[in-house]
Amino acid sequence: MLGYNYYYNNSLKDYILIFGSLFDEIFVKKHDELGNQINELKIPISYGPVENFSSMVERRDMDSAGQSVSITLPRLSYEITHIAHDSSRKLNKRYEVVKVNPSSNNSVQTEFTPVPYNITFELSILTNTLTDGLVIVEQIVPFFTPEATIDLKSDNISDLNIPITLESISFNDNTGDSAVEERRVLIWTLEFTFKSFFFSPIRTKKIIKKPIINIKITTNDYETIQEIPYTATKNWSQLTITDENIQWLEEITIN
Amino acid sequence: MAHNPYMDIMNVQGEKDLEENLFIEAIEAFGVEVWYLPRTLINVEELYYEPQQVIFESAKKIDVYIKEQMGFAGGGDILTKFGIQIRDECTLQMSVKVFREIFADVPDYHNPHEGDLIVLVLDNELVSTKRMYFQIKFIQDEAMFYPLGRMIMYEFSVELFDLAGELFRTGNPKIDSINVNYPVSNVATTAPDDTATIETREGGVIDWSEDNPFSEDF
């Protein structure tokens, strides 16, 4: 294995929630001939792949009220279709981020730089009228130019700015290619690239309080002439730049 | 060759009435009673020929004969990325004469229309009643090809209804309550599943306070 105990940052699940939350306030309003609003629909959104059993149980619970329809429309669905490493955003892998350990004064938390991955999300819009689809698409598209950036804050994810790019929009309408008895299905598919980071496990390291310096003076042939062991006695965690410290540093140089 | 005037079976009024009455009696005996809901279109968009809003304002009882005897046709229950979709279909037969008698009080409504609803009441028990909302996809009025010179039957191809914000104002609370049980219409609310989970769970993750293009203050 990779040398670590079990860890799970919940990052992918958070990214899925974040992406879905961008589209959870979409409405379709209906008007009469005079322009008066007569109906307003809040469009539900759900993550596409779900467990069969739970879905059937939930569906039966809804039908238990006594009525049964095929499905409620319009409806949004989204899912992850692809995850790929983004080498253009790769950072120095030796670099470690150090954080304060909230549970201890004698240690710090560190983690390696996050690894950039592009997550491809597919957002699908199912309607049975062209009008509803146009209304929904037009509430999404203007915010992506073609990129929109959101700010994240989480216990699991370091504070991040996540760019989301609208890559493409496709549309499928089965009208015209099917028999008159066929159910009309209009599906808009919007593909997004979500520029995410994945984080390594957080490790705890002790604070360096007592540095021991062994200085060797050598000849050009690396033959040791003199060894000068030195143990700093200052409390490094409280070291601040003052005149006294400068004097102390100079003494090291002299020795 | 001239038409035989002694064998003119297409123009015997008594025979026609007898056949039609037998057909109606057969449906009443072996059929089921359903609710028929005509569709009212509000503000039809002429470019796409789509109504802005559909309202069902009346419901009338009528007898139909279900051709399928061993269960619904169609695709059955399908798990799609949009959730469970039930694609039940069936074929219903109805008397032309009975339909016109029932809807005689409705102006300019002498024939059924595609898009109208038929509510099929199944499992009609005291404790639970299951009402299935079917939409007429296609009306085949020549399925029985003018026997004795008269069209006596409509044959409907119906499929389970896709509820898309239609308003039910029939006055029958058992039918109209679909707007409560599937609350995607009339008021700004959502289906009981789906969105609520996302809205609840994203609260601690995404920072809406910043100037981002999705915030209301942007």
Side-chain angles (χ1 to χ4, degrees):
Chain A
M1 282 299 293
L2 298 174
Y4 296 103
N5 293 327
Y6 171 81
Y7 74 99
Y8 178 50
N9 282 335
N10 223 25
S11 304
L12 259 178
K13 187 178 175 186
D14 284 343
Y15 293 145
I16 289 171
L17 283 168
I18 290 162
F19 184 81
S21 67
L22 301 180
F23 311 104
D24 64 0
E25 291 284 339
I26 292 177
F27 292 84
V28 172
K29 297 184 179 182
K30 311 276 187 172
H31 300 85
D32 62 14
E33 289 86 349
L34 301 175
N36 302 316
Q37 183 182 321
I38 53 176
N39 201 353
E40 182 179 41
L41 312 178
K42 184 177 181 183
I43 311 304
I45 181 171
S46 59
Y47 190 68
V50 292
E51 193 203 39
N52 301 20
F53 307 137
S54 303
S55 301
M56 287 305 301
V57 169
E58 187 178 41
R59 173 67 201 226
R60 287 211 171 84
D61 287 345
M62 290 181 70
D63 289 351
S64 65
Q67 287 122 345
S68 182
V69 296
S70 175
I71 193 170
T72 55
L73 299 176
R75 180 169 284 271
L76 304 182
S77 169
Y78 68 104
E79 60 183 320
I80 292 176
T81 58
H82 189 60
I83 300 177
H85 184 262
D86 183 2
S87 57
S88 66
R89 292 187 289 129
K90 184 178 179 182
L91 301 172
N92 185 343
K93 63 183 180 182
R94 307 296 297 179
Y95 179 69
E96 279 187 286
V97 179
V98 181
K99 299 175 179 177
V100 174
N101 187 351
S103 59
S104 170
N105 291 327
N106 296 320
S107 62
V108 291
Q109 291 181 331
T110 67
E111 62 180 348
F112 285 109
T113 49
V115 188
Y117 273 84
N118 288 346
I119 303 174
T120 304
F121 279 100
E122 194 175 273
L123 176 71
S124 301
I125 305 165
L126 176 64
T127 68
N128 61 356
T129 64
L130 182 61
T131 310
D132 288 353
L134 296 176
V135 171
I136 294 170
V137 168
E138 205 162 321
Q139 287 179 70
I140 296 172
V141 170
F143 296 110
F144 295 90
T145 60
E147 194 172 79
T149 304
I150 57 171
D151 305 312
L152 305 188
K153 59 174 183 180
S154 170
D155 294 336
N156 304 317
I157 306 171
S158 299
D159 294 355
L160 284 176
N161 293 326
I162 298 283
I164 303 171
T165 308
L166 176 55
E167 303 285 356
S168 66
I169 303 173
S170 60
F171 172 58
N172 183 271
D173 180 0
N174 68 345
T175 311
D177 297 328
S178 54
V180 290
E181 295 95 339
E182 282 290 313
R183 186 184 298 265
R184 189 182 188 192
V185 178
L186 294 91
I187 298 179
W188 297 77
T189 304
L190 287 71
E191 191 175 281
F192 295 87
T193 299
F194 189 101
K195 295 185 176 178
S196 70
F197 284 99
F198 288 99
F199 295 85
S200 59
I202 294 175
R203 297 182 299 173
T204 303
K205 286 185 175 179
K206 289 183 178 177
I207 297 174
I208 300 172
K209 292 183 175 178
K210 185 182 176 183
I212 299 172
I213 305 167
N214 289 320
I215 302 170
K216 283 186 180 179
I217 301 174
T218 63
T219 64
N220 289 341
D221 297 331
Y222 300 105
E223 183 181 345
T224 303
I225 298 173
Q226 188 180 5
E227 290 189 9
I228 308 171
Y230 177 79
T231 301
T233 55
K234 296 285 183 181
N235 187 347
W236 284 61
S237 64
Q238 297 174 354
L239 183 65
T240 54
I241 303 300
T242 62
D243 291 344
E244 182 190 358
N245 291 333
I246 293 170
Q247 177 68 26
W248 173 69
L249 293 169
E250 285 173 351
E251 286 174 4
I252 292 177
T253 308
I254 292 168
N255 289 334
Chain B
M1 292 288 289
H3 181 68
N4 186 344
Y6 304 104
M7 297 290 289
D8 190 8
I9 61 170
M10 303 294 278
N11 287 307
V12 182
Q13 192 65 34
E15 293 290 319
K16 289 182 182 181
D17 292 343
L18 173 64
E19 186 203 35
E20 187 160 31
N21 289 337
L22 285 171
F23 178 71
I24 293 170
E25 193 174 327
I27 290 181
E28 289 172 351
F30 302 108
V32 295
E33 195 174 49
V34 300
W35 291 94
Y36 191 98
L37 283 64
R39 191 170 73 136
T40 304
L41 309 182
I42 306 294
N43 194 11
V44 176
E45 167 59 65
E46 294 180 355
L47 185 59
Y48 321 122
Y49 211 65
E50 291 176 348
Q52 272 273 318
Q53 180 66 51
V54 172
I55 301 178
F56 296 99
E57 297 177 302
S58 65
K60 292 179 180 290
K61 277 187 174 178
I62 192 166
D63 285 326
V64 298
Y65 178 75
I66 304 174
K67 279 185 81 173
E68 286 80 9
Q69 296 294 318
M70 302 298 290
F72 292 116
D77 297 4
I78 297 174
L79 180 62
T80 70
K81 59 184 174 183
F82 296 100
I84 299 286
Q85 193 167 12
I86 303 175
R87 293 181 178 171
D88 287 344
E89 298 174 5
C90 64
T91 307
L92 307 176
Q93 295 177 332
M94 181 188 294
S95 161
V96 173
K97 181 182 177 183
V98 171
F99 181 88
R100 288 177 178 167
E101 285 174 356
I102 289 177
F103 284 93
D105 59 335
V106 181
D108 301 325
Y109 199 79
H110 310 298
N111 297 302
H113 296 163
E114 279 86 357
D116 291 348
L117 289 194
I118 288 177
V119 180
L120 204 56
V121 183
L122 301 173
D123 192 17
N124 195 3
E125 299 293 329
L126 286 175
V127 178
S128 65
T129 301
K130 187 173 186 181
R131 294 176 181 80
M132 301 187 75
Y133 291 64
F134 283 93
Q135 189 160 38
I136 299 175
K137 294 187 299 185
F138 182 63
I139 301 168
Q140 175 60 274
D141 51 8
E142 294 177 336
M144 190 182 284
F145 194 66
Y146 299 96
L148 303 182
R150 180 186 288 179
M151 187 182 72
I152 62 170
M153 180 186 79
Y154 294 123
E155 187 169 283
F156 302 140
S157 298
V158 300
E159 66 181 7
L160 207 57
F161 178 46
D162 291 340
L163 181 64
E166 289 82 357
L167 298 177
F168 287 77
R169 302 284 184 267
T170 66
N172 183 329
K174 292 179 179 175
I175 292 176
D176 295 348
S177 62
I178 193 170
N179 279 154
V180 178
N181 297 331
Y182 290 92
V184 292
S185 60
N186 197 29
V187 290
T189 181
T190 183
D193 57 343
D194 308 341
T195 313
T197 306
I198 292 173
E199 287 178 343
T200 306
R201 300 296 298 274
E202 60 86 10
V205 180
I206 194 163
D207 186 3
W208 293 122
S209 63
E210 299 293 330
D211 291 335
N212 69 73
F214 302 99
S215 70
E216 293 179 357
D217 301 327
F218 182 72

